[in-house]
Amino acid sequence: MKLIRRLTVLSVSLFFVLNISAQTKDSVDVSQFIVAYTYKWNTADRNGSSITDSVKIGVQVGTKITKCKEFFSLMYSDLKEWKNKEYMEGEWISRPYNIPTWFQNYPEGETRTFDKVIPNRFVVAGKKTDIHWTLESDTLSIAGYLCHKAVGNYGGREWIAGCSEEISSPAGPWKLRGLPGLIMMAEDSEHIHSFSFCGLLLRQDPITYTEHPQSIRKDQKEFIKFRNKTMCSKRYVEDPRYYIPEGALVDAVEMWAGGPEPDDSKKYTTLAIDMIVPKTVNVYQPLELE
């Protein structure tokens, strides 16, 4: 993956010219650049041993809207980079995590999240993230960018972030936003979740928004409570299918990455191309506690 490591304020502003030709019937904005982050969360396996899970996420930064989802799925499925083998393989490896898709300021002043609690899909509605950040005097360098430290609270967690005014965008990973420069890193105060900048792509692409026709609509607070009750249960790590209704997996198929058929532990139980039913899981660590 060829990523641009440096980007000046001037070059960012030059890209904030709406490219009408990049729009499609499902587009709600046009991205001016894409930021890649490594998202890690510290957890434990079913035996209680410490383990760190990790995926790459991508943020499409538009003129008004940002869209954040698993990076390889964004590049391969959404932006149709079908000739890129790295994107294809990365999407496959990341599928079992069922990473949500997050939209900021769509509709205007609101957020929308596409999430799953198998076998159901959800469209989750909330207010646009408004975090009261406290900027501190501490500075740090991330990928060659001068960054300022900031502290804020969101979703029941305290977040420590580093933002760079060299990239004049209030965007960031996940739902974190609202600083005077792009958020380059963020970590919660308990050191469970972290996001770290790993590159930037200067490109204009449609930011698409398409709801699955069978999605269930939920309010954000209502959904978080429901999801955490289900996934944080001790039963989940012992049997990640404990809550799935009987018969719901009758149409599931076993898939693998290609080549000779592997043993069952290396197959993916698939309800849909973007809905993997895990066979084993680690302890669920919610980003949002409330």
Side-chain angles (χ1 to χ4, degrees):
M1 178 177 59
K2 191 174 182 181
L3 295 175
I4 299 172
R5 298 290 179 179
R6 295 287 297 169
L7 185 66
T8 65
V9 173
L10 176 61
S11 61
V12 171
S13 64
L14 289 175
F15 266 74
F16 272 78
V17 178
L18 186 62
N19 182 358
I20 301 299
S21 64
Q23 297 187 64
T24 70
K25 67 176 183 177
D26 298 322
S27 67
V28 292
D29 200 352
V30 176
S31 69
Q32 310 306 302
F33 56 93
I34 298 171
V35 190
Y37 297 90
T38 300
Y39 167 39
K40 295 181 179 181
W41 59 102
N42 295 317
T43 184
D45 62 21
R46 63 186 303 172
N47 298 315
S49 299
S50 296
I51 193 168
T52 299
D53 284 326
S54 175
V55 296
K56 186 169 287 186
I57 63 170
V59 181
Q60 282 185 290
V61 180
T63 58
K64 296 180 180 179
I65 297 165
T66 59
K67 176 181 179 179
C68 178
K69 69 179 296 185
E70 194 279 316
F71 177 81
F72 296 112
S73 177
L74 172 67
M75 300 303 294
Y76 188 76
S77 295
D78 291 26
L79 303 185
K80 298 177 173 47
E81 294 281 356
W82 294 328
K83 294 182 180 180
N84 190 308
K85 187 177 179 181
E86 180 187 3
Y87 294 164
M88 178 183 68
E89 292 177 349
E91 182 187 36
W92 176 263
I93 293 169
S94 300
R95 280 180 190 170
Y97 294 112
N98 289 306
I99 298 296
T101 299
W102 301 280
F103 293 85
Q104 285 279 358
N105 203 38
Y106 187 79
E108 187 173 356
E110 299 182 29
T111 64
R112 288 293 183 271
T113 302
F114 298 163
D115 210 335
K116 311 177 193 76
V117 177
I118 296 168
N120 297 313
R121 303 172 186 272
F122 295 88
V123 176
V124 184
K127 294 182 179 179
K128 182 180 175 183
T129 306
D130 184 17
I131 303 173
H132 177 70
W133 293 101
T134 299
L135 283 168
E136 300 188 352
S137 58
D138 294 352
T139 61
L140 63 159
S141 178
I142 301 174
Y145 294 92
L146 175 66
C147 297
H148 291 271
K149 182 181 177 182
V151 178
N153 290 279
Y154 180 73
R157 296 187 186 278
E158 181 182 69
W159 288 90
I160 298 92
C163 72
S164 175
E165 294 183 42
E166 293 181 52
I167 305 177
S168 57
S169 168
W174 176 49
K175 295 182 181 180
L176 302 177
R177 62 173 304 281
L179 282 165
L182 182 72
I183 295 176
M184 306 289 284
M185 63 75 62
E187 182 179 30
D188 76 282
S189 58
E190 295 182 272
H191 309 293
I192 297 174
H193 300 276
S194 66
F195 300 92
S196 55
F197 173 88
C198 59
L200 189 149
L201 292 166
L202 278 177
R203 53 182 292 167
Q204 293 183 317
D205 297 288
I207 297 179
T208 56
Y209 181 97
T210 306
E211 294 185 11
H212 193 280
Q214 296 179 341
S215 294
I216 301 169
R217 302 188 74 83
K218 288 276 190 181
D219 170 77
Q220 182 169 294
K221 288 185 178 180
E222 179 186 14
F223 178 74
I224 291 170
K225 183 177 180 180
F226 161 70
R227 180 197 60 203
N228 289 357
K229 181 180 179 181
T230 302
M231 312 295 276
C232 293
S233 168
K234 291 181 179 179
R235 295 179 64 189
Y236 179 66
V237 73
E238 296 169 358
D239 175 13
R241 307 180 184 201
Y242 86 92
Y243 64 93
I244 300 176
E246 185 176 354
L249 303 183
V250 66
D251 294 325
V253 297
E254 297 289 289
M255 298 178 64
W256 58 95
E261 183 174 353
D263 59 51
D264 286 344
S265 65
K266 295 182 180 179
K267 295 178 183 178
Y268 289 175
T269 304
T270 309
L271 271 179
I273 198 69
D274 62 339
M275 188 179 288
I276 305 300
V277 186
K279 295 175 179 175
T280 59
V281 295
N282 296 321
V283 174
Y284 183 71
Q285 297 288 357
L287 272 165
E288 294 162 294
L289 301 176
E290 57 185 37

